[in-house]
Amino acid sequence: MFFLLTLSSAIGLAFGNILVSIGLRAANSIGSLAKNKFWLGGMFLSLIATLLYYAAMARYNISLVQPFMALNPALTAILGWKILGELMSRKIALGIALIFCGILIDGTLAGETAGGQSSGEMLWIYAGAVLALLAVFCLFFRKSEITDSLCAGAGFGLSAIFYKSIALENLFPPPIDLRIFAFAALYIAAFICSQIGLRRGRALFVIPLSAAVGLIVPAIGGLAVFGEPFPAQKIAVIALVFAGSILFVRE
């Protein structure tokens, strides 16, 4: 079930990214998107893939699930090369190879012990630290393509952390829970940033960089917030997947 959920999610997101990118490039206005079959199809596919991703996070450690999501940029790059005519250089090919190596190692850890719920205080401290670092990086990197990707990746990563915190309580938190509002706000903000990034940037750049950030934030959060196991193999997985994603950006 672990491989079914994670692989289906990553593949669905990759195809959804390409369809959304095609739709955004063809649209002349926000209103025209509602009639664009590529954008609508991409959004629907991404929605289904996202639901599978959250189902995987609810059942398995977030630091285990997240590396599989790096298949998203790898497959997006391949599809962007084949369908959109985007660049496929040696660096990008090497990045894809590193990502696949990391995922193969990650698959051997599928039966690891589940983490636990930490104190709510640590959850908010971690979220605040990530947002503070994001602000610093956005001030340092002025290029919109980079800031859009950083904001999308950090937003999706933090929303995953808040979702995992809620899911550990069997999806029945108190009626008024700030985690729910934080999750919704972060996810919506990240979605908007990703759409802006795809509209004015390259899919082959925006998706890998946001995915790299979206990998590191939950992976470290799994250790810091939920006390998930962090053996040497997982460190190697994160290093390989992150290095592969960064090769896209350097290119």
Side-chain angles (χ1 to χ4, degrees):
M1 183 60 72
F2 171 77
F3 293 104
L4 175 63
L5 291 174
T6 53
L7 291 176
S8 298
S9 176
I11 293 171
L13 286 171
F15 277 94
N17 288 334
I18 294 300
L19 291 174
V20 166
S21 184
I22 293 173
L24 287 171
R25 294 180 184 187
N28 296 320
S29 64
I30 296 178
S32 64
L33 287 176
K35 301 178 181 179
N36 189 293
K37 61 182 180 180
F38 291 104
W39 187 82
L40 291 173
M43 291 301 298
F44 177 76
L45 191 57
S46 296
L47 173 61
I48 298 300
T50 300
L51 292 176
L52 293 173
Y53 163 60
Y54 282 119
M57 275 201 301
R59 299 186 60 174
Y60 305 100
N61 287 338
I62 192 171
S63 58
L64 181 65
V65 172
Q66 206 63 34
F68 270 81
M69 294 303 103
L71 269 177
N72 174 12
L75 293 176
T76 298
I78 295 173
L79 294 173
W81 170 48
K82 286 292 186 179
I83 298 174
L84 302 180
E86 294 184 338
L87 175 68
M88 176 60 73
S89 67
R90 292 181 179 178
K91 282 186 179 180
I92 292 176
L94 176 59
I96 293 173
L98 290 175
I99 288 172
F100 275 98
C101 287
I103 289 172
L104 287 175
I105 298 173
D106 196 44
T108 65
L109 302 172
E112 71 177 12
T113 305
Q117 176 74 57
S118 71
S119 66
E121 181 181 355
M122 188 60 200
L123 174 67
W124 292 102
I125 291 174
Y126 182 72
V130 170
L131 291 176
L133 283 174
L134 174 64
V136 172
F137 279 114
C138 287
L139 288 174
F140 182 78
F141 295 105
R142 297 289 184 176
K143 191 175 180 181
S144 61
E145 196 173 40
I146 297 177
T147 56
D148 292 341
S149 304
L150 290 176
C151 290
F156 282 129
L158 282 178
S159 69
I161 292 289
F162 278 96
Y163 172 82
K164 180 64 176 180
S165 176
I166 297 169
L168 286 172
E169 297 180 5
N170 298 318
L171 298 180
F172 290 106
I176 299 178
D177 192 327
L178 289 178
R179 293 175 301 170
I180 298 176
F181 296 103
F183 162 74
L186 288 165
Y187 188 89
I188 293 171
F191 174 78
I192 293 173
C193 289
S194 68
Q195 295 302 293
I196 294 174
L198 287 172
R199 180 70 177 89
R200 61 186 182 183
R202 296 161 292 167
L204 200 147
F205 181 95
V206 174
I207 298 301
L209 179 54
S210 61
V213 176
L215 162 70
I216 292 298
V217 170
I220 296 177
L223 173 65
V225 180
F226 304 113
E228 296 177 358
F230 232 79
Q233 298 100 308
K234 189 173 290 185
I235 296 175
V237 168
I238 293 174
L240 286 169
V241 173
F242 184 75
S245 299
I246 290 301
L247 280 176
F248 285 78
V249 180
R250 290 185 61 83
E251 183 63 24

